[in-house]
Amino acid sequence: MFALNHSSANGNRLRLGRVAMAIAAGGLLAAIAMPGGAQELDGAALWSLGGCFNCHGALAAGDGDPAYPVGPSLRSSRLSRDQFLETLACGRPSTGMPFNLAGAYTQTPCYGLPLGAPPAVLAGADFTPAQIDALVDFLMNSVVGVRTITRENCAVFFDGNVNAPTCRQY
């Protein structure tokens, strides 16, 4: 018969807990980055479908609808691609940023938490991992770091239409 003493068992549980959290965090990033099936919507369409413009503004400059929480300008964001993936997928607990990954918290762990009910996080869009990835690609390629909005940059939000009403001012 093999028995562990109490302090050794507690130490093993702590180590296992840390390993499980690391695996869960890695699993989230891997799940988000995995290519999915055919992707029908591009990043700009997902931006609209997800209602991101309500808080972050039509062109992601942080000038959204005043009826919604004020989201920061994504143009001046310093988040890395991985941080964007996690934020879009899992939201930001106790803020107005919703989670957008279908199954976040209940089927896919977020922020190292065990599977269960989301902790004070609003539900947003029901995006697949491939859609989250496409939205982040769009933001990283067309928004983040682009502080001066041109007519062409505006047009990426409107199917390339430089004559979209919102873009006419640029």
Side-chain angles (χ1 to χ4, degrees):
M1 179 178 200
F2 179 74
L4 292 174
N5 68 39
H6 185 68
S7 63
S8 175
N10 284 340
N12 286 339
R13 278 190 212 115
L14 286 173
R15 278 191 290 280
L16 286 174
R18 288 185 192 123
V19 169
M21 284 176 56
I23 290 169
L28 168 67
L29 294 175
I32 292 171
M34 284 182 1
Q39 204 166 305
E40 298 174 16
L41 300 173
D42 66 8
L46 293 164
W47 171 266
S48 293
L49 182 66
C52 307
F53 57 86
N54 286 320
C55 299
H56 296 285
L59 306 178
D63 54 357
D65 185 331
Y68 291 89
V70 177
S73 170
L74 300 181
R75 294 181 172 279
S76 60
S77 177
R78 293 184 182 180
L79 294 180
S80 69
R81 185 176 194 291
D82 287 342
Q83 290 169 322
F84 265 109
L85 285 169
E86 187 168 41
T87 300
L88 286 169
C90 299
R92 292 262 169 133
S94 301
T95 72
M97 179 65 195
F99 67 88
N100 293 289
L101 178 65
Y105 294 97
T106 58
Q107 298 169 3
T108 302
C110 289
Y111 299 114
L113 297 172
L115 294 179
V121 182
L122 302 170
D126 243 1
F127 290 151
T128 66
Q131 289 171 323
I132 295 282
D133 198 48
L135 180 52
V136 169
D137 283 346
F138 168 72
L139 293 172
M140 298 305 288
N141 294 327
S142 301
V143 175
V144 176
V146 180
R147 296 199 172 125
T148 302
I149 301 170
T150 63
R151 201 168 210 188
E152 290 74 23
N153 180 255
C154 176
V156 300
F157 287 87
F158 302 99
D159 280 337
N161 181 3
V162 294
N163 294 314
T166 303
C167 301
R168 289 184 188 151
Q169 64 184 308
Y170 300 102

